[in-house]
Amino acid sequence: MSSIIYEPNRAFSKEARIKNMCEYKELCLQAEEDYTGYWEKMAREKIDWIEPFHTVLDESEAPFYKWFLGGKLNVTHQCLGRHLKVRKNKAAIIWESEFGDKRIITYLQLYYRVNRMANLLKNRFGVKKGDRVVLYLPMIPEAVFAMLACAKIGAIHSVVFGGFSAEALRDRIEDAQAKLVITADGAFRRGKPYMLKPVVDEALSVGCESCKKVLIVQRNREPINYVRGRDFIYNEIIMQESQHCDPEPMDSEDPLFLLYTSGSTGKPKGVQHSGAGYILWAQYTMEHVFDVKENDTFWCTADVGWITGHTYIVYGPLAMGATTIIYEGVATYPDVGRWWKMIEEHRVNQFYTAPTAIRMLHKEGPDEPQKHDLSSLKVLGTVGEPINPDAWHWYREAVGNGRCAIVDTWWQTETGGHMITPLPGATPTKPGSATFALPGIKAEVLDNDGNQVPVGEKGLLCITKPWPSMIRTIWGDPKRFKKAYFGDVKKDGKPVYFSGDGAIVDEQGYITITGRTDDVINVSGHRLGTAEIEAILAHHENVAEVAVVGRPDPIKGEGIFAYIVIKNEGGIGEEINMIQELNKLIVKEIGSIAKLDAIRFVPALPKTRSGKIVRRILRSIAKNEEITQDISTLEDPSIVEKIQELTVS
Ligand code: WTA
């Protein structure tokens, strides 16, 4: 983190919802003094309830916290229905393809589209309240129709990122016992068609008993395999459905969606969110962190397959009645000016992306933003990984022209929306720091015993009070939920939520996130568990032992570094073959986002006498750092030097 402080832009602050730090502190105080009252007021004001709630927060089964009990709502009414009176002809979605084709969908049109899809799910596929539906879709408006159609009838959507492999998709279909998969023939990327439907076919070829039907949206119109009785083409049947559909009244705590994410152990876990708390958060953070106004155009570049896409492409902007941009394609097609060109053309007001993308665009085209009129921009956001001060400054100066607020937002799939972030009209920012927790969020940096760590020292980032949009459980595995999030840190004898991240608080209270403290690697903002990758590599017939660690990467944040002990020494030629084979395995089981950046074949791994791999040493070696820890307790201390010799480069 740098020590420079940037005050908010005065002209912006004047118009902002939260105009200065006094107002921010006043809200924090209100929440401190009457915690449930703070959320009660907000939930009553912001949510359009079918039936009001009677209990704000039920802690009786903590950490299975329940919010807004007794309330009934449907989030699609919050996102669509209630807007029809005032903004039915306003653009809800502006979609653009790499080729520059555009689709503009108004709130009324979106409402009808969602209703038709909801009816299709109900009538044709028998999807009912509580059923799980897997979405494996590209960045097309139909992905939004499908998510909201599920929400409308009370089905639980589980969106699987289109870059995941058939195996990863199958795991998720099976874990959720999904009834239906909604996919597309394929889409376009870097100007060329690619396919999704064959991946679904492969996923369904083994197991997946629960899933009897597949709905296919035609997008690239490439030929696909069609399984009669199982497969249905959306474009051919959708117009037979009525555009009217009553929303299912849902209890506040009924699940809205599952989203699978990696943890430090085992298979990815289905993070479960519920409707009321989540939608409240999506709206609260859009208002406070992006300060979105009626005429604004909001663009989040994430994929809908990640939580950022859920909250800040779909639910947040639509709950606000804003216009959300969806871009199907990559940032560098046809050239590195693509995003800046789109910001200029659509007069984007808030832009939200990942540090990886900022670093890449900085490197590839440092002067590119200046070639475009970016004067519409007001707030620039980042998410997904720590942002280094260099990238932060370039974002502020080259993209924001020194005028826009930079909001470095820290949060997770599990938190549903922003937790620690500047407020654009109020918070003086320090490059590299996510600054302060939102009003109502109690973020603390603790040691293992639940004590606050001293200023300037690294500790465990915990959220010590429940909040409305928090993860409710891990689908089908409440024990794992308790252990993974409420198992490590206790404060005053009570388990508190531990994020898995480390953080430092400075003397002014600014929080800087230092990255994961567990065995999770963050590659370009994608969370990957080392255990998950190791289990896959261990399947290779010639792998005796494997350990995977993260290594800093100038663009991606972290890269994947694998140490491998092979069974048969076959010489250099065989090692080259193995590198290819190991990467093939990874692509097959997870997808190309998890490809290995470096592999070192080593004679053995550093282990304690009890046989535990000492990853800290492997991390230091991967970073080319001096080993400062005591290695005398290792089973074979000489192995460290041997590995170091093999690892230089
Ligand atoms: C990391 C993405 C530093 C962090 C919304 C967290 C960040 C993980 C930031 C969650 C940030 C996210 N600064 N690190 N502003 N935002 N992270 O679940 O390690 O895909 O635990 O959610 O990303 O990743 P996830």
Coordinates of all heavy atoms in Angstrom, one line a residue, residues 261 306-308 352 382-387 408-414 420 434 499-501 513-516 522 525-527, ligand 1:
T261 N -17.6 -22.7 -5.4 CA -16.3 -22.0 -5.3 C -15.4 -22.9 -4.6 O -15.8 -23.8 -3.9 CB -16.5 -20.7 -4.6 OG1 -15.2 -20.0 -4.8 CG2 -16.8 -20.8 -3.2
W306 N -19.5 -16.0 -12.3 CA -18.9 -15.7 -11.0 C -19.9 -14.9 -10.1 O -20.8 -14.2 -10.7 CB -17.6 -15.0 -11.2 CG -16.6 -15.6 -12.1 CD1 -16.2 -15.1 -13.3 CD2 -16.0 -16.9 -12.0 NE1 -15.3 -16.0 -13.9 CE2 -15.2 -17.1 -13.1 CE3 -16.0 -17.9 -11.0 CZ2 -14.4 -18.3 -13.3 CZ3 -15.3 -19.1 -11.2 CH2 -14.5 -19.2 -12.4
I307 N -19.6 -14.8 -8.9 CA -20.4 -14.0 -8.0 C -20.5 -12.5 -8.4 O -21.5 -11.9 -8.3 CB -20.0 -14.1 -6.5 CG1 -21.1 -13.5 -5.6 CG2 -18.7 -13.5 -6.2 CD1 -22.3 -14.2 -5.4
T308 N -19.4 -12.0 -8.9 CA -19.3 -10.6 -9.3 C -20.4 -10.4 -10.4 O -21.1 -9.4 -10.4 CB -17.9 -10.2 -9.8 OG1 -17.0 -10.5 -8.7 CG2 -17.8 -8.7 -10.1
Y352 N -16.5 -1.5 -13.7 CA -16.1 -2.4 -12.6 C -15.3 -3.6 -13.2 O -15.9 -4.3 -14.1 CB -17.3 -2.9 -11.9 CG -17.1 -3.6 -10.6 CD1 -16.1 -3.2 -9.7 CD2 -18.0 -4.5 -10.1 CE1 -15.9 -3.8 -8.5 CE2 -17.9 -5.1 -8.9 CZ -16.8 -4.8 -8.0 OH -16.7 -5.4 -6.8
T382 N -12.6 -2.0 -8.7 CA -11.8 -3.3 -8.9 C -12.2 -4.3 -7.9 O -12.7 -4.0 -6.8 CB -10.3 -3.1 -8.8 OG1 -9.9 -3.1 -7.4 CG2 -9.9 -1.8 -9.4
V383 N -12.0 -5.5 -8.2 CA -12.4 -6.7 -7.4 C -11.7 -7.9 -7.8 O -11.3 -8.1 -8.9 CB -13.9 -6.9 -7.4 CG1 -14.4 -7.3 -8.8 CG2 -14.3 -8.1 -6.5
G384 N -11.5 -8.8 -6.8 CA -11.1 -10.1 -7.1 C -9.7 -10.5 -6.6 O -9.4 -11.6 -6.3
E385 N -8.8 -9.5 -6.5 CA -7.5 -9.7 -6.0 C -6.9 -8.4 -5.5 O -7.5 -7.4 -5.8 CB -6.5 -10.1 -7.1 CG -7.1 -10.8 -8.3 CD -6.3 -10.4 -9.6 OE1 -5.1 -10.5 -9.6 OE2 -7.0 -9.9 -10.5
P386 N -5.9 -8.5 -4.7 CA -5.2 -7.2 -4.3 C -4.8 -6.5 -5.5 O -4.3 -7.1 -6.5 CB -4.0 -7.7 -3.5 CG -4.3 -9.1 -3.1 CD -5.2 -9.7 -4.2
I387 N -5.0 -5.2 -5.5 CA -4.5 -4.4 -6.7 C -3.2 -3.6 -6.2 O -3.1 -3.0 -5.2 CB -5.5 -3.4 -7.2 CG1 -5.0 -2.5 -8.3 CG2 -6.2 -2.5 -6.1 CD1 -6.0 -1.8 -9.2
D408 N -11.7 0.1 -4.5 CA -11.1 -1.2 -4.4 C -12.0 -2.0 -3.5 O -11.9 -1.8 -2.3 CB -9.7 -1.1 -3.9 CG -9.0 -2.4 -3.6 OD1 -9.6 -3.5 -3.8 OD2 -7.8 -2.3 -3.2
T409 N -12.8 -2.9 -4.0 CA -13.9 -3.5 -3.2 C -13.4 -4.9 -2.8 O -13.2 -5.8 -3.7 CB -15.2 -3.6 -4.0 OG1 -14.9 -4.5 -5.2 CG2 -15.7 -2.3 -4.5
W410 N -13.4 -5.2 -1.5 CA -13.0 -6.5 -1.0 C -14.3 -7.2 -0.7 O -15.1 -6.7 0.1 CB -12.1 -6.5 0.2 CG -11.9 -7.9 0.7 CD1 -11.0 -8.8 0.2 CD2 -12.7 -8.6 1.7 NE1 -11.1 -10.0 0.9 CE2 -12.2 -9.9 1.8 CE3 -13.7 -8.3 2.5 CZ2 -12.7 -10.9 2.6 CZ3 -14.3 -9.2 3.4 CH2 -13.7 -10.5 3.4
W411 N -14.5 -8.4 -1.2 CA -15.6 -9.3 -0.8 C -15.4 -10.7 -1.4 O -14.3 -10.9 -2.0 CB -16.9 -8.7 -1.3 CG -17.1 -8.4 -2.7 CD1 -16.4 -7.5 -3.5 CD2 -18.0 -9.1 -3.6 NE1 -16.9 -7.6 -4.8 CE2 -17.9 -8.5 -4.9 CE3 -19.0 -10.0 -3.5 CZ2 -18.6 -8.9 -6.0 CZ3 -19.8 -10.4 -4.5 CH2 -19.6 -9.8 -5.8
Q412 N -16.3 -11.6 -1.2 CA -16.2 -13.0 -1.6 C -17.5 -13.5 -2.1 O -18.6 -13.0 -1.8 CB -15.7 -13.8 -0.4 CG -14.6 -13.2 0.3 CD -14.2 -14.1 1.5 OE1 -15.0 -14.2 2.5 NE2 -13.1 -14.8 1.5
T413 N -17.4 -14.7 -2.8 CA -18.6 -15.4 -3.1 C -19.5 -15.6 -1.9 O -20.8 -15.4 -1.9 CB -18.3 -16.8 -3.7 OG1 -17.4 -16.7 -4.7 CG2 -19.5 -17.6 -4.1
E414 N -18.9 -15.8 -0.8 CA -19.6 -16.1 0.5 C -20.3 -14.9 1.1 O -21.2 -15.0 1.9 CB -18.7 -16.7 1.5 CG -18.1 -18.0 1.2 CD -16.9 -18.0 0.3 OE1 -16.6 -17.0 -0.3 OE2 -16.2 -19.1 0.2
I420 N -15.7 -4.5 2.4 CA -14.7 -3.5 2.7 C -14.4 -2.7 1.4 O -14.0 -3.3 0.4 CB -13.4 -4.1 3.2 CG1 -13.7 -5.0 4.5 CG2 -12.4 -3.1 3.6 CD1 -12.5 -5.7 5.0
A434 N -8.2 -1.4 0.6 CA -9.6 -1.5 0.4 C -10.3 -0.5 1.4 O -11.5 -0.5 1.4 CB -10.1 -2.9 0.5
S499 N -12.6 -15.2 6.8 CA -12.7 -15.2 5.3 C -11.7 -16.0 4.6 O -11.8 -16.3 3.4 CB -12.4 -13.7 4.9 OG -11.1 -13.3 5.3
G500 N -10.6 -16.4 5.3 CA -9.5 -17.1 4.6 C -8.5 -16.1 4.1 O -7.4 -16.6 3.7
D501 N -8.7 -14.8 4.2 CA -7.8 -13.8 3.8 C -7.0 -13.3 5.0 O -7.5 -13.2 6.1 CB -8.5 -12.7 3.1 CG -8.9 -13.0 1.7 OD1 -8.1 -13.7 1.0 OD2 -9.9 -12.5 1.2
I513 N -5.7 -5.8 2.2 CA -5.8 -7.2 2.1 C -4.5 -7.8 1.6 O -3.9 -7.3 0.6 CB -6.9 -7.6 1.1 CG1 -8.2 -6.8 1.3 CG2 -7.2 -9.1 1.2 CD1 -8.9 -6.9 2.6
T514 N -4.0 -8.8 2.3 CA -2.7 -9.3 1.9 C -2.8 -10.6 1.1 O -1.8 -11.2 0.6 CB -1.8 -9.6 3.1 OG1 -2.5 -10.4 4.0 CG2 -1.4 -8.3 3.8
G515 N -4.0 -11.1 0.9 CA -4.2 -12.3 0.1 C -4.6 -13.5 1.0 O -4.7 -13.4 2.2
R516 N -4.8 -14.7 0.4 CA -5.3 -15.8 1.1 C -4.2 -16.3 2.1 O -3.0 -16.3 1.9 CB -5.6 -17.0 0.1 CG -6.6 -16.6 -1.0 CD -8.0 -16.5 -0.5 NE -8.5 -17.6 0.2 CZ -9.8 -17.8 0.5 NH1 -10.7 -16.8 0.1 NH2 -10.2 -18.8 1.1
N522 N -5.2 -17.6 -6.1 CA -6.1 -16.7 -6.8 C -5.4 -16.3 -8.2 O -4.5 -15.5 -8.2 CB -6.3 -15.4 -5.9 CG -7.4 -14.5 -6.5 OD1 -7.6 -14.5 -7.7 ND2 -8.0 -13.8 -5.6
G525 N -8.0 -13.6 -10.4 CA -9.3 -13.5 -9.7 C -10.1 -14.7 -9.7 O -11.2 -14.7 -9.1
H526 N -9.6 -15.8 -10.2 CA -10.3 -17.1 -10.1 C -9.7 -17.9 -8.9 O -8.5 -18.1 -8.8 CB -10.1 -18.0 -11.4 CG -10.5 -17.3 -12.6 ND1 -11.6 -16.4 -12.7 CD2 -10.0 -17.3 -13.9 CE1 -11.7 -15.9 -13.9 NE2 -10.7 -16.4 -14.7
R527 N -10.6 -18.3 -8.1 CA -10.2 -19.1 -6.9 C -10.0 -20.5 -7.2 O -10.9 -21.2 -7.7 CB -11.3 -19.0 -5.8 CG -11.2 -17.8 -5.0 CD -12.4 -17.6 -4.2 NE -12.6 -18.6 -3.2 CZ -13.5 -18.5 -2.2 NH1 -14.4 -17.5 -2.2 NH2 -13.7 -19.4 -1.3
Ligands
WTA1 C1 -9.9 -12.0 -3.2 C2 -14.8 -12.3 -5.7 C3 -7.8 -8.2 -2.4 C4 -9.8 -12.5 -1.7 C5 -15.8 -11.2 -5.3 C6 -11.1 -13.2 -1.5 C7 -9.6 -9.5 -3.0 C8 -11.4 -13.8 -2.9 C9 -10.4 -8.4 -3.3 C10 -12.8 -14.0 -3.2 C11 -9.8 -7.1 -3.1 C12 -11.5 -10.2 -3.7 N1 -8.5 -7.0 -2.7 N2 -8.3 -9.4 -2.6 N3 -10.4 -6.0 -3.4 N4 -11.6 -8.8 -3.7 N5 -10.3 -10.6 -3.3 O1 -15.1 -15.7 -4.1 O2 -8.7 -13.4 -1.6 O3 -14.3 -15.2 -6.4 O4 -11.1 -14.1 -0.5 O5 -15.2 -13.4 -4.9 O6 -10.8 -12.9 -3.8 O7 -13.0 -14.5 -4.5 P1 -14.4 -14.8 -5.0

